[in-house]
Amino acid sequence: MKNKYAVWGNPIAQSKSPRIHQLFAQQTKKEIEYVAKLGDETEFEQQLKDFFAKGAKGCNITAPFKERAFQLADEYSEACLLAKACNTLKRLEDGRLYADNTDGVGLAADLERLGWLNSGQKTLILGAGGATKGVLLPLLKAGLDITLYNRTVEKAVVLAEKFANYGKIQTACVEELENQKFDLIINATSLGLQGHYVALPANLLASAKVYDMQYAVSMKTPFLNYAKECGAMKCQDGLGMLVGQAAFAFNLWEEKFPDIEKVLIQLQTEMQPPK
C-alpha cells in the first residue's frame, strides 16, 4: 500500500510540492501518494487530525498554518522548537506527531549548491517574521555573520536575542545600512506576493549576491528585478530552497535522500513559458 502524504495550505492550488514529491518518488523508486489539501481557516486542526486518523504517514505545512501545526505536535526538532513553526509532520509508530522545520536546511543546501554558503560571510536578511525564524539556525551554524533588517526594528531585536547563542547575529536600521557592505543579501519577506519589495541603499545591492526566498518563473520576482536594476551581479530565486526543504522532508518520511539538482532542473524546464 502506498504511503499517504499531503501539503496543507490556503491558498494551495499553486503548490509545486505534489510535483516535486512525485519526481522524488520516481527517482528513489518509492510508491507514495502526495496531494495538495486546502486548509480551512477555522477547521484546520480537525482536518489535520482526521488526515492522520485515516492512516497518513506525514505532511508538509505551508502558509498560513505553520504555527498552528506546531501546536499539534508531540515531539520537535531543535530548528522547529526555535522557530515555533513547522513545515513537516511525521506520524511516529505510536501515533504521536513529530514536527520539523526543513526550510533552513533547504535554504542552506541551495546556498551551498550555488557556492554562496561561506563561513564568516557578511549576510543581510530582510524580514523578521516566520520565514526568517525558520532559516536562522542552519545559517548561523554554517558560520554566517548575520544582520537582520526589519521595518519594525524591535521585532528584529527580539529575534536576534533569541538566536544569539547560536552564532554571530545583530540588527540594523536603514540608516545603519548606508555605509555597510554585505556579501549576501537574502529577502525573507513576503512582499513579493503583493508585487512589492524592500527598498535598500543601491550600493548594498550592487556589491552583493542576492537571494529571494520567493520563487517565480524565470527568477523574475519583484525584489530580484529591483536588485538587477541596482546592479546586483548575481541573483537567485528560491526554487532551489523549495526543492531542498522538500528533499529533507522526503528523507524524514521515506529514509531516502533524493537528488535535489535533478529535480530542480526538471522543474525549471517545466516552468519555462512556451516560446
Side-chain angles (χ1 to χ4, degrees), residues 91-157:
R91 182 169 55 84
L92 302 173
E93 292 294 327
D94 58 8
R96 292 178 310 133
L97 293 180
Y98 175 79
D100 199 357
N101 192 316
T102 64
D103 286 332
V105 285
L107 173 58
D110 200 37
L111 293 175
E112 193 163 13
R113 176 184 70 86
L114 296 164
W116 293 9
L117 192 72
N118 305 303
S119 183
Q121 180 169 256
K122 284 201 71 179
T123 304
L124 176 66
I125 298 182
L126 310 177
T132 303
K133 287 178 192 171
V135 301
L136 279 177
L137 184 62
L139 299 185
L140 287 168
K141 284 187 171 181
L144 300 192
D145 178 352
I146 294 174
T147 298
L148 297 180
Y149 170 67
N150 193 62
R151 189 177 55 184
T152 310
V153 177
E154 294 77 17
K155 199 173 175 185
V157 170

Side-chain angles (χ1 to χ4, degrees), residues 70 76-86 101 129-130 132-138 140-141 159 161-166:
F70 174 85
Y76 305 90
S77 69
E78 183 185 23
C80 196
L81 271 177
L82 276 168
K84 292 287 189 288
C86 79
N101 192 316
T132 303
K133 287 178 192 171
V135 301
L136 279 177
L137 184 62
L140 287 168
K141 284 187 171 181
L159 195 54
E161 287 173 352
K162 185 177 181 180
F163 283 85
N165 292 334
Y166 295 91

Side-chain angles (χ1 to χ4, degrees), residues 175-195:
E175 294 81 14
E176 292 168 328
L177 293 177
E178 288 283 354
N179 300 314
Q180 295 198 50
K181 188 174 179 179
F182 294 93
D183 305 302
L184 174 64
I185 297 174
I186 299 172
N187 177 37
T189 74
S190 59
L191 290 173
L193 298 175
Q194 292 85 46

